[in-house]
Amino acid sequence: MGEFDGKVAIVTGAGRLRGIGRAAAVGFAKLGANVVVTGTGRDPSTFPPDEKAINWRDIHSVADQIESHGVKALPLVADVTNKDHVQNMIDQAVEEFGRVDILVNNAAYARGPDRVPVLDLDDDIFQRVIDIKIGGTYLCTKAFVAQLQKQGTGGKIVNISSSAGKRGSANTLAYNAANFAIVGMTQSMAREFGPMGINVNCVCPGAVDTHRMDDIDRETRWVEMAETTPIGRNGTDDETGEFCVYLCTEAASWIHGQSININGGTVMEH
């Protein structure tokens, strides 16, 4: 028997081989949950070499990993900035599994073209970062909580922010804006949804070895980032994803409204 037997988790942005979303989705499956995973329907020609080498199939490969633990998966292509897509995600989850219980708001804009000086930042890219991270979290949360009210049950929400939601830096204005907003949204959700029996928290990862970090020079910059971490290493997607899972367990039920750093000590601001 797993703690999440009979429960249904939704994880957005979960199609990467190396990704927090995939790791969280599999972590829920290990504890007995059926899992809905969403992705953007990436073009396989854009996959990184390690995904191409194993014929990775985005959310469908994640679904295979989930189902290897004896539970069911529902892979869905969905744009979290599209209200109809989001409602369809909830509707299909309920049609397939009869309920929803857990939401991990993980979807985010791809790292890269947003990491430039403000004067060089494209207005459309700034807006896209905001739309996916803030707008997507808003739309998914709204539809999820509405379904919980129909069910008459409580639930769990985990929002994914970043160390950049605690500390600003140069050339990351859009990313800082989006992730600081998630921290504030988490506090607002926690105060509003707590009386409904809905537990809400936020995870703020540092440098995690995911596909998002592949634009960083792995020979120099990645090593330097690890060396400046008090414990001397960067993080993994599995340990970050499994922490998201922990926040949805009964053992963590008194943790509420928190934005928790998981970064090896590089950022300690609360």
Side-chain angles (χ1 to χ4, degrees):
M1 296 289 289
E3 176 159 357
F4 297 137
D5 284 356
K7 302 289 188 181
V8 178
I10 299 173
V11 185
T12 65
R16 300 286 188 178
L17 170 63
R18 289 174 290 119
I20 294 169
R22 179 208 60 81
V26 173
F28 286 120
K30 289 178 180 177
L31 294 183
N34 296 315
V35 189
V36 180
V37 289
T38 79
T40 57
R42 292 182 295 149
D43 180 348
S45 68
T46 67
F47 288 9
D50 58 342
E51 290 186 350
K52 289 179 178 178
I54 61 172
N55 296 315
W56 187 253
R57 296 177 297 115
D58 201 65
I59 52 176
H60 298 286
S61 288
V62 178
D64 289 344
Q65 291 187 352
I66 291 166
E67 292 184 341
S68 73
H69 294 282
V71 296
K72 294 181 180 179
L74 177 61
L76 297 174
V77 173
D79 177 357
V80 298
T81 71
N82 184 305
K83 183 177 179 179
D84 291 337
H85 282 210
V86 170
Q87 187 58 54
N88 180 65
M89 175 187 75
I90 298 295
D91 291 345
Q92 288 206 47
V94 173
E95 181 179 352
E96 180 74 16
F97 300 123
R99 61 185 297 118
V100 295
D101 300 280
I102 296 164
L103 172 66
V104 178
N105 285 307
N106 179 62
Y109 183 77
R111 172 191 166 96
D114 61 323
R115 310 305 168 93
V116 296
V118 172
L119 296 182
D120 297 329
L121 181 59
D122 183 276
D123 293 347
D124 290 338
I125 289 176
F126 173 85
Q127 193 60 53
R128 190 64 177 154
V129 172
I130 298 301
D131 287 347
I132 295 174
K133 195 71 180 176
I134 301 176
T137 296
Y138 161 71
L139 289 175
C140 291
T141 300
K142 187 174 184 179
F144 174 74
V145 171
Q147 177 58 34
L148 292 185
Q149 288 187 314
K150 290 179 184 177
Q151 294 173 189
T153 63
K156 305 280 187 176
I157 298 173
V158 176
N159 298 320
I160 308 299
S161 179
S162 167
S163 293
K166 298 291 188 73
R167 176 190 289 175
S169 57
N171 304 332
T172 61
L173 179 72
Y175 190 64
N176 281 137
N179 284 288
F180 267 81
I182 295 300
V183 171
M185 290 169 71
T186 297
Q187 294 178 15
S188 178
M189 291 178 192
R191 292 192 181 277
E192 182 173 346
F193 302 151
M196 303 177 191
I198 303 171
N199 190 242
V200 187
N201 287 293
C202 176
V203 176
C204 298
V208 178
D209 190 1
T210 66
H211 171 73
R212 285 178 60 82
M213 304 298 283
D214 283 353
D215 65 328
I216 292 176
D217 174 21
R218 292 298 180 123
E219 298 297 321
T220 304
R221 180 60 182 144
W222 184 251
V223 174
E224 291 174 349
M225 292 169 72
E227 290 174 345
T228 58
T229 302
I231 62 172
R233 69 174 179 86
N234 297 318
T236 70
D237 56 355
D238 284 334
E239 62 192 345
T240 309
E242 288 171 6
F243 183 66
C244 296
V245 174
Y246 167 72
L247 288 175
C248 298
T249 65
E250 271 307 301
S253 62
W254 211 44
I255 302 173
H256 187 62
Q258 304 304 305
S259 293
I260 302 170
N261 301 328
I262 177 168
N263 56 37
T266 51
V267 175
M268 301 185 187
E269 288 90 339
H270 294 289

